[in-house]
Amino acid sequence: MPASTIQKSTEFTNTNLEVLLSEADIKRRVAELGKQIAADYADKDLVVVGVLKGSCVFLADLIRAIDLPLTIDFMAVSSYKDATKSSGDVEILKDVSQPLRGKDVIVVEDIVDTGLTLFRLLEILGSRGANSIKIASLLDKPEPRIKKELKIDYCGFQIPNKFVVGYGLDVAGRYRNLPFIGVVVNPDIA
Ligand code: IMP
Ligand code: MG
């Protein structure tokens, strides 16, 4: 075979990634979630709050599937993955830039894993006088959940207890730009 016809793998066709949810799967589900939210939030004062950075791709697609007036805002938190630490170990690195009093808030996450980060975030947002606070998460990994009482109001997909990347999710900052959700086959080869 001439060298010019050999297909080189790229970031998106990386053989170390196994596709778990395709671009089409995600698109279909996000459209459904958007319709559901639009039906639930007609005549409400909706603020969609993304948790940086992981939720940015999902949020961008989700808001374009919600045919209602809305505003967006962002928070950034440092979460401590060490489950032996208390759930209070969540530091706000960036807060929303508007008062939430009287608003109907949907917090958008990429994935809920142990639930510790979101649980603490909801405690913090819960003191802001919002009319309602709900959760939208693209992915739900229920197996490692510590905060079992956490309710995901709008869930894209339940997934097995595997480390996933793409569509906003990263490993060491990489892979957020994949248009699909993949599993890293061998974490030792980056
Ligand atoms: P939790 O506090 O354990 O629920 O942590 C949730 C956060 O951990 C998510 O917002 C992600 O940033 C990160 N995370 C958890 N599981 C994964 C994964 O499989 N891939 C990438 N990031 C993950
Ligand atoms: Mg996150």
Side-chain angles (χ1 to χ4, degrees), residues 28-50:
R28 209 176 305 120
R29 187 68 187 121
V30 171
E32 286 173 1
L33 290 176
K35 277 215 174 81
Q36 203 184 332
I37 291 171
D40 294 349
Y41 284 80
D43 303 319
K44 301 235 166 127
D45 200 350
L46 177 57
V47 184
V48 178
V49 176

Side-chain angles (χ1 to χ4, degrees), residues 131-149:
N131 187 48
S132 67
I133 305 179
K134 292 205 169 174
I135 301 171
S137 183
L138 178 73
L139 304 177
D140 173 17
K141 203 157 50 169
E143 217 177 292
R145 190 72 33 83
I146 292 170
K147 292 290 180 188
K148 306 255 187 226
E149 63 272 49

Side-chain angles (χ1 to χ4, degrees), residues 30-138:
V30 171
E32 286 173 1
L33 290 176
K35 277 215 174 81
Q36 203 184 332
I37 291 171
D40 294 349
Y41 284 80
D43 303 319
K44 301 235 166 127
D45 200 350
L46 177 57
V47 184
V48 178
V49 176
V51 184
L52 293 171
K53 302 173 188 167
S55 74
C56 72
V57 180
F58 175 42
L59 182 139
D61 284 345
L62 183 65
I63 57 170
R64 285 177 293 173
I66 304 172
D67 187 3
L68 286 180
L70 59 79
T71 63
I72 63 170
D73 218 312
F74 292 96
M75 291 185 82
V77 295
S78 68
S79 51
Y80 297 82
K81 296 300 293 176
D82 184 351
T84 60
K85 290 188 181 169
S86 86
S87 62
D89 278 340
V90 170
E91 194 190 342
I92 297 186
L93 303 176
K94 186 223 170 298
D95 207 336
V96 290
S97 57
Q98 60 181 297
L100 297 178
R101 182 156 299 280
K103 307 277 184 178
D104 291 286
V105 177
I106 298 180
V107 179
V108 177
E109 260 286 22
D110 49 359
I111 187 166
V112 183
D113 185 6
T114 64
L116 289 171
T117 311
L118 201 49
F119 189 85
R120 180 68 189 125
L121 197 64
L122 290 178
E123 278 183 345
I124 294 165
L125 290 179
S127 65
R128 305 272 178 92
N131 187 48
S132 67
I133 305 179
K134 292 205 169 174
I135 301 171
S137 183
L138 178 73

